[in-house]
Amino acid sequence: MYGRRVKVTTRARGIASGTRRALILAPRRRCARSYRDGGTDAHARDRMRALILVRAAACCALILAAAAVVKTDGNQWRRPQRPLATSRGWSTTGCPCSNASLCAPIQRPGPEKVYAFHVDASTNGSNADWRSFDWSQISTLCLYGSLSPELLCHAHAHGVRITLGDGGTGYDFTDKAAHAWINRTVERVQSMHVDGINIDLEINNCSGRIGNCDNPDGWSSEAMANLTRHTAALTTALHAAVPGSHVSFDTPSLGLYEEGADGRGCGYMYGRNYDFKGLADAADFLLVMDYDSNDPALNGTFNKTGQYNGGYNPWRWPGKGPFASSGQGYANAGLGVIAQGVECYRKLGVPTSKLVMAFPWYSYNYQCEDRGAGELPPPVGAADDDWCRVVNASIINIDGAESVAIRQRIMADAIGGVRWNNKTGTPYLYYKAVPGAWDAGRIHRLDFDNPHSLALKAAYAKSVGARGVGAWTCDIIDYSNTALATAYWDSFKAFT
């Protein structure tokens, strides 16, 4: 889906290069080939034995040298993305903290408080927005990108877990791929002294549906069963190797579906027909992405081609479903959609105690179809559920540091000021693109969340007994605006 596509491409997966793995495995492979290529006569075999001993010694020297290079390369503490898998237990060898106890895994039972996503696309963990986070509320920080030693030590000093974003086995659901992934992942968690893994696979199993598909023919039920089984195997292995660790699995809100509209219904949002109950049992909990749960097709408000954002087709049938013509399809994640998702999980046998509900700290900007010169949106308070016929959509971080000037201009140009949708519990506004813009004069609808709407979501999560709440992403707002940043973090207090 369009929003999730942005999410995936902006996450800098991994921590560093696979240099160590390449340096260590290469000489091993050469040793193996030397042994296999031995001759058949006795003299040749003797020469080959001698050659094997020489090459084996060289291999050992190369392995030790490669390990030394990784250990001593530069002053920055960086761990390889895919360290060589071993069966060793957790240790504090190479701990970057002045207090080695801070490299011990966090062992804290009970539910989550705030599960904070943090993205650092730098190569050395230089995004320091995390310094301004409200660490008194965070129970887990999930990192996509580079981990700095300072962040690791700071989080553990506050009793906060650090988990690493992980893409799983990709689209390879074989046992062979899973075995390698599990070994690699356990070693990665151990060597970086962190506390778990967040699996963000997001496959679209869209057989028989419209839209962007990772596999137009759909994934087999066997593949989905393997995905669940492999997740369970990882959880078991990680719990044994790293006490107190946890595994979470990212799943959609499940709030966008139509009972019987295409013969499917609950459990098939965005084509992801995972075994949600099985995954909830296999992992420690599900991370419910209560964002990108928008679809203007709900309002029947697409342009004539029914496409936007580079040709994205809606998953929904325009103008149908429980939220049709109600204006709820514009919101990034309206309360009605979130609530329907919770009910869907319950129908699938997933208790709310297994759900950590993450909400958006970013906005959607919709370009409306041109209705003719001079036509403006209805006045505040008048019905406008289907006024904006969407021709293009994009994500904007309206409260981000890079968007200060944009926010000021949009707010100043808002037609009728900021509006409120009681059905979604979210604010929105209309504005006209300024002269000089590529779409100058065109009307846009901006749907966003603010601390008030986020507090309503957190309160709802608490009312249904969710395991925790979170946000994508906590580094996305302008931390130079202390009052704004404080208000965002205070929105969690309705839950914590």
Side-chain angles (χ1 to χ4, degrees), residues 39-55:
T40 55
D41 64 281
H43 184 62
R45 284 196 300 272
D46 290 341
R47 285 184 301 172
M48 183 53 61
R49 290 190 185 99
L51 182 59
I52 289 171
L53 292 175
V54 172
R55 289 189 175 180

Side-chain angles (χ1 to χ4, degrees), residues 198-216:
N198 168 247
I199 304 171
D200 185 42
L201 192 53
E202 302 190 37
I203 355 180
N204 296 335
N205 184 350
C206 48
S207 177
R209 302 177 73 93
I210 57 176
N212 294 322
C213 305
D214 294 318
N215 185 346

